[in-house]
Amino acid sequence: MRVDECRYGASVSTVSPPAPETPIAPPDVDLSRRLAAEAIGSAFLLIAVVGSGIMASTLSPDDVGLQLFENAAATAGALIALIVMFANVSGAHFNPAVTLVERLLGTMTSRDAWAYVVAQISGGCVGVILANAMFGAQTGRGWIFLSERERDSAGELLAEVVATLGLLLVIHGAVRHAKPHVVAVCVGVWIGGAYFFTSSTSFANPMVSIARTLSDTFAGIEPASAPGFVAAQLVGAILAWLLVRWIFADPAD
């Protein structure tokens, strides 16, 4: 999610839509603070995803639909709050696919992009471990236990392309309102809805695909299935980059 600091506070009617080349975060925020925001935000996001999945399985053991609703609602709510919290620090990516598109659009350097991805994956894995630790009594397992849940059907892989493509288009459309809360709500609503209208339950995030291998719970994915999900998400990101350049092109270009 890109943040155009100089446009905040201005009414939408007096501001022209920012071009795709608008910087993703205030230029005066140093890299260390941005990376901390990405790592912390990613950790909390995965705590929400995995923790709510475990809680849902405990509270509604015989109703998978209700479990999914509880998991989706908690994830969407946490995501909205995290984006609002960190949008003006790092741009609140929490997703290597978002970072990849920003790099392809030229809004960040390769060095910063790689650093973001490392911070996101590291933070996400820590978040899963913390969720496992918090719910150890319910699961009867340790802090790390690899998932055995297969998610490798052709339909699920296609769903990840669709979910990631849609997420990135939502982000790049919403960011043109130049208000972090608009982006946050749009992204949260998209992810919450996509839990139900995609067969994969919409991971739409390579970091999430990797981190969720560390918990054999409701939200888990087996390590062997994760590379396919990551590849599908990267395909969705490339398609989104092409569409963003075309649909949201600056009329002056």
Side-chain angles (χ1 to χ4, degrees):
M1 284 127 259
R2 286 176 288 163
V3 178
D4 187 355
E5 185 182 45
C6 67
R7 298 184 188 271
Y8 291 153
S11 66
V12 175
S13 61
T14 61
V15 179
S16 59
E21 292 76 18
T22 301
I24 61 166
D28 59 341
V29 178
D30 61 77
L31 182 60
S32 62
R33 289 169 57 200
R34 285 185 279 146
L35 295 181
E38 286 296 302
I40 293 169
S42 298
F44 274 114
L45 175 58
L46 265 297
I47 290 172
V49 171
V50 174
S52 65
I54 297 172
M55 181 64 81
S57 297
T58 302
L59 296 176
S60 312
D62 301 318
D63 191 334
V64 177
L66 185 55
Q67 291 174 16
L68 186 61
F69 176 79
E70 292 162 347
N71 191 206
T75 301
L79 188 54
I80 290 170
L82 290 168
I83 292 171
V84 171
M85 185 190 307
F86 289 123
N88 282 323
V89 180
S90 68
H93 293 195
F94 317 139
N95 187 336
V98 175
T99 302
L100 171 62
V101 172
E102 297 297 343
R103 176 64 193 93
L104 292 174
L105 290 172
T107 62
M108 65 191 308
T109 66
S110 295
R111 185 199 69 156
D112 286 6
W114 279 113
Y116 264 49
V117 171
V118 171
Q120 291 157 2
I121 295 174
S122 300
C125 290
V126 170
V128 173
I129 293 170
L130 289 174
N132 288 339
M134 286 193 298
F135 287 95
Q138 286 90 329
T139 63
R141 310 286 288 273
W143 287 26
I144 299 177
F145 44 103
L146 297 181
S147 176
E148 298 179 359
R149 184 165 184 168
E150 295 183 3
R151 299 178 186 260
D152 56 5
S153 70
E156 287 173 311
L157 296 179
L158 175 60
E160 282 303 297
V161 175
V162 172
T164 307
L165 171 61
L167 172 63
L168 289 162
L169 291 178
V170 166
I171 291 169
H172 284 271
V175 79
R176 280 152 176 78
H177 291 275
K179 297 180 185 296
H181 66 273
V182 171
V183 180
V185 171
C186 288
V187 170
V189 169
W190 172 265
I191 291 296
Y195 261 72
F196 286 90
F197 67 70
T198 62
S199 60
S200 63
T201 67
S202 184
F203 286 41
N205 187 331
M207 176 272 291
V208 167
S209 299
I210 293 169
R212 283 167 68 166
T213 64
L214 303 178
S215 184
D216 189 23
T217 55
F218 179 81
I221 176 174
E222 68 169 359
S225 296
F229 264 49
V230 171
Q233 290 151 4
L234 293 179
V235 169
I238 297 299
L239 293 175
W241 167 59
L242 295 173
L243 286 173
V244 165
R245 292 178 63 202
W246 176 50
I247 295 174
F248 300 117
D250 187 345
D253 290 345

